[in-house]
Amino acid sequence: MQLRDLAKGSSVFLAVIVAGYLSTTYVDQRFAAPKVSKSTETASASACVGEDGSWKNWPWPNVPALSPKCR
């Protein structure tokens, strides 16, 4: 192995690490739930299932199993 090969491999490894960090930072900022203080959070703000089977207060396409019924 030559020094040039080691430098090339190390730069690729570093680039993958940096790209992974940047992508997780972007995903966290883009898709994370907004921070809500406990005083403004109410029981109606949680995800629940309506009488017709539709989801309320759930912004994502996947839904949790065994969610409570809406009051």
Side-chain angles (χ1 to χ4, degrees):
M1 177 189 297
Q2 295 179 352
L3 184 59
R4 183 184 62 170
D5 296 333
L6 180 64
K8 201 183 295 185
S10 297
S11 65
V12 168
F13 186 70
L14 182 64
V16 168
I17 298 252
V18 169
Y21 175 75
L22 292 176
S23 68
T24 55
T25 303
Y26 171 77
V27 168
D28 284 346
Q29 290 175 354
R30 176 78 168 90
F31 297 109
K35 293 182 180 176
V36 178
S37 67
K38 291 186 180 189
S39 62
T40 61
E41 185 177 331
T42 62
S44 65
S46 63
C48 61
V49 180
E51 290 184 20
D52 60 349
S54 63
W55 287 91
K56 310 289 186 216
N57 302 320
W58 190 254
W60 297 284
N62 61 338
V63 292
L66 304 174
S67 289
K69 304 274 187 208
C70 293
R71 294 182 191 183

